[in-house]
Amino acid sequence: EKREASKIEINIVDRFESFDKVVFVSKNAVRYFIPMIKEKLEFLPSSLKWVAIGRGTADELEKSNILAEFPERAGTESLLEMETFRDLKRNKILIVRGQGGRELLAKRLSELGAEVSYLEAYRRKPVHYRNAKKISAHTVLTSTSLEILKSLISNLSGSLEDYSLVVPSPRIAKKAEQFCFSKVLNSDGASDQKLYSAIMSMRESLT
């Protein structure tokens, strides 16, 4: 859900034009932040480099006519290997994320010489799936974040071995494999096309 901006975050929005790069780590980060910044600025800075964690997030930015760079394989580790992050001395980088996100990206960018700021555009709330008990066995489920995975597991009834799971990154897949899902498949991205292709592939393997 949208969260009320702190004084620090209001200050970041006020000095948005001073950043060299802005990095979005999820589609929700785009959905909550872009309306906020467009309300503040008549024109977006032409010199700013826009970067997305993966194709799905880049597609979300494109809906606002913003073209962003993104790694071929979605994820923080792949993002850090991009050419745009090779020389970061004196670069000011803004990371737009949900409340309480990972620290790895900021840590590595700082080590490479960048001045990093955060803007936490939204916060995640636990989801109660009212119809979870009605989900039939052998259903293919999706989970696009660790928080969603945790909430999903807490809501499912019966054995996790009855379900297969599609996730968008190696990090979430690694965590999901600690549980007893029938099968876990990494779609290598959170775009609708990536997730759809992985779900269809999973369904075919189960028939």
Side-chain angles (χ1 to χ4, degrees):
E1 66 174 5
K2 185 177 180 180
R3 55 184 294 273
E4 186 176 347
S6 67
K7 290 182 179 180
I8 293 175
E9 290 164 342
I10 291 171
N11 176 262
I12 286 173
V13 172
D14 287 341
R15 58 187 177 89
F16 184 69
E17 293 171 289
S18 71
F19 289 101
D20 299 292
K21 298 178 177 70
V22 57
V23 182
F24 293 86
V25 301
S26 70
K27 290 186 279 190
N28 277 333
V30 176
R31 292 167 184 153
Y32 286 107
F33 179 75
I34 293 302
M36 182 195 309
I37 201 65
K38 283 192 170 183
E39 185 179 328
K40 182 71 178 178
L41 300 176
E42 184 176 359
F43 300 104
L44 296 175
S46 59
S47 61
L48 183 66
K49 284 191 176 181
W50 304 80
V51 185
I53 194 80
R55 178 178 290 278
T57 303
D59 288 346
E60 196 66 32
L61 281 163
E62 193 170 0
K63 293 177 183 178
S64 296
N65 298 316
I66 297 171
L67 297 180
E69 300 177 47
F70 60 91
E72 184 175 341
R73 185 172 186 175
T76 300
E77 291 76 7
S78 299
L79 188 77
L80 287 164
E81 294 174 359
M82 292 174 62
E83 185 66 31
T84 192
F85 294 127
R86 287 284 185 266
D87 183 10
L88 296 179
K89 291 182 179 178
R90 294 183 294 279
N91 264 218
K92 294 182 178 180
I93 299 178
L94 175 64
I95 298 174
V96 185
R97 66 178 191 176
Q99 193 173 41
R102 294 177 79 190
E103 302 298 331
L104 175 62
L105 180 58
K107 181 175 182 292
R108 291 288 301 279
L109 292 177
S110 296
E111 290 171 351
L112 292 170
E115 179 185 322
V116 181
S117 299
Y118 279 127
L119 193 141
E120 296 183 328
Y122 64 99
R123 62 173 168 232
R124 305 171 183 89
K125 292 180 65 177
V127 177
H128 177 65
Y129 299 87
R130 289 182 295 175
N131 297 318
K133 293 182 179 180
K134 296 181 180 180
I135 299 176
S136 60
H138 310 301
T139 297
V140 178
L141 307 173
T142 62
S143 179
T144 56
S145 73
L146 291 177
E147 291 78 9
I148 292 174
L149 175 62
K150 181 179 178 181
S151 182
L152 178 64
I153 291 171
S154 69
N155 279 274
L156 288 173
S157 61
S159 172
L160 294 180
E161 293 179 353
D162 292 337
Y163 308 102
S164 297
L165 184 69
V166 171
V167 298
S169 73
R171 183 171 71 104
I172 302 174
K174 184 177 180 180
K175 185 67 176 179
E177 286 164 358
Q178 297 175 13
F179 301 93
C180 296
F181 287 99
S182 173
K183 187 175 181 180
V184 176
L185 178 62
N186 173 20
S187 64
D188 280 330
S191 68
D192 293 341
Q193 185 57 52
K194 288 273 191 181
L195 291 170
Y196 175 79
S197 296
I199 290 168
M200 296 307 295
S201 175
M202 179 79 84
R203 289 186 64 183
E204 289 175 7
S205 72
L206 295 174
T207 56

